[in-house]
Amino acid sequence: MAYPANEPELPQPLPDGLYDKLAAQYGHEDLARIVEGYRTVRPVTLRANTLKADHASIAAQLQEAHIEWQPAPSPLDSEAFVICQAREDAIRALSAYEAGELYLQSLSAMLPAHALKPRAGENVLDMAAAPGGKTCHMAALSQGAALITACEKNHVRAERLRYNLAKQGASRVNVMECDARKLDSFFSFDKVLLDAPCSGSGTVRYADGSFKTGFSLELLSRSVKTQQALLRKALDIVNPGGFVLYATCSILAEENEELIRRVLPKARAELVPLPDGLLEGVPLLPCQLPEAAVVCPSEYFEGFFLALIKKGR
Ligand code: SAM
């Protein structure tokens, strides 16, 4: 694939089609930011699991192990740590890791649970849940008192989900191993998290002289079909007046803005603004929907999309 002379210089081509998709959607400056973000080696980040520990106790364990950290950007700073030099192995060696007192998670992946704000007593569905980072986060934010159903289609990943829930002490979570597109309309929930399977266009990495990603045009078109069916189902089974948080780790409008624009009008649902302060310090890309957000791959954040949707009464 040849790149136009005025486009960011790439040491190795991005996978077939990805560059063209990005160039069609973003201007030259944003494209350069995205490619730079892909090439950045991000520090390890983790979240204190407040079902079992708190920020201070994790900070003490990091200090004891001589692992330096810095606070995460403000909406996440009460629970998240940015590890300065150590890699994941050093964190996995901590007794806090073994005890499920912390969870290795990207900062972008910590945004959806804060956007959906699960509360004690609420019926919450996590539609595409494995390995369970966001399910555990929602359990922690509700102090273990939301009634969470976690759905996962893939058996091996569902096993991983069960393991993580047990390790993290998220005991009030009911796991359903099934295709969430086929959930009976009889179900109803106050809130639904749909962290949809996607092309991964936000999480491309660069290592050993090439870009690492599972992206392909075939995966993109398959993902869009699944995302559309899952979002329709989410809007079908959320209670009137309830909320759906739609997220992907893609920065392509086909999987995000365009999909939402297509699905919402038929579902008596509307986009609502993300909570105040949630995106403070988060690097953003232009988004075609003013209420939603596209996170730019960057020094601390993976590329990500999130939108909060309210179903009409
Ligand atoms: N939310 C997870 C977390 O934070 O750990 C990550 C979810 S990952 C982006 C998407 C998951 O959806 C995958 O585990 C995939 O197996 C699952 N999945 C894909 N299609 C599904 C479907 N139709 N029903 C239920 N789960 C599905």
Side-chain angles (χ1 to χ4, degrees), residues 103 105 126-134 151-154 157 178-181 195-197 226 230:
Y103 193 87
Q105 193 169 37
D126 189 347
M127 272 185 111
K134 298 180 191 76
C151 193
E152 172 56 48
K153 186 174 79 140
N154 178 293
R157 290 179 65 88
C178 68
D179 185 335
R181 293 172 294 191
D195 182 29
T226 307
L230 285 167

Side-chain angles (χ1 to χ4, degrees), residues 8-245:
E9 258 187 48
L10 301 182
Q12 280 282 320
L14 282 166
D16 250 3
L18 178 56
Y19 184 88
D20 298 336
K21 293 274 178 196
L22 292 171
Q25 183 178 338
Y26 295 105
H28 182 266
E29 268 181 33
D30 290 321
L31 196 52
R33 286 170 68 209
I34 292 166
V35 172
E36 187 56 33
Y38 285 166
R39 300 191 65 190
T40 302
V41 180
R42 270 176 285 282
V44 171
T45 54
L46 60 90
R47 177 171 57 73
N49 172 18
T50 54
L51 291 173
K52 289 190 165 189
D54 58 23
H55 191 271
S57 66
I58 298 300
Q61 292 210 44
L62 291 172
Q63 189 176 351
E64 202 174 303
H66 306 290
I67 295 174
E68 283 178 36
W69 59 275
Q70 62 189 59
S74 68
L76 307 170
D77 59 356
S78 63
E79 58 184 359
F81 295 78
V82 175
I83 303 301
C84 296
Q85 265 150 11
R87 304 311 304 163
E88 283 191 11
D89 284 356
I91 304 299
R92 289 204 169 94
L94 297 175
S95 59
Y97 177 83
E98 203 43 53
E101 293 173 7
L102 61 84
Y103 193 87
L104 288 163
Q105 193 169 37
S106 78
L107 294 183
S108 296
M110 296 180 202
L111 296 172
H114 282 290
L116 196 57
K117 294 190 180 155
R119 301 275 187 250
E122 286 178 340
N123 247 313
V124 180
L125 172 67
D126 189 347
M127 272 185 111
K134 298 180 191 76
T135 322
C136 292
H137 196 190
M138 291 198 293
L141 290 181
S142 70
Q143 290 157 332
L147 309 165
I148 301 177
T149 301
C151 193
E152 172 56 48
K153 186 174 79 140
N154 178 293
H155 173 67
V156 175
R157 290 179 65 88
E159 288 295 294
R160 188 76 204 167
L161 170 65
R162 289 186 184 95
Y163 170 84
N164 280 332
L165 292 170
K167 182 170 173 180
Q168 302 282 308
S171 53
R172 287 184 89 174
V173 179
N174 171 38
V175 174
M176 282 178 74
E177 199 176 313
C178 68
D179 185 335
R181 293 172 294 191
K182 297 185 182 152
L183 283 171
D184 200 300
S185 300
F186 152 88
F187 286 106
S188 67
F189 297 92
D190 302 311
K191 292 179 176 171
V192 176
L193 172 63
L194 171 51
D195 182 29
C198 72
S199 70
S201 71
T203 56
V204 176
R205 292 183 305 113
Y206 184 78
D208 306 325
S210 66
F211 288 102
K212 313 285 180 203
T213 169
F215 181 93
S216 69
L217 290 174
E218 197 274 321
L219 175 62
L220 173 63
S221 76
R222 196 156 27 95
S223 297
V224 170
K225 285 194 191 112
T226 307
Q227 290 155 356
Q228 181 162 312
L230 285 167
L231 183 55
R232 288 209 166 113
K233 178 56 76 176
L235 290 165
D236 178 30
I237 57 182
V238 71
N239 288 329
F243 292 90
V244 174
L245 192 284

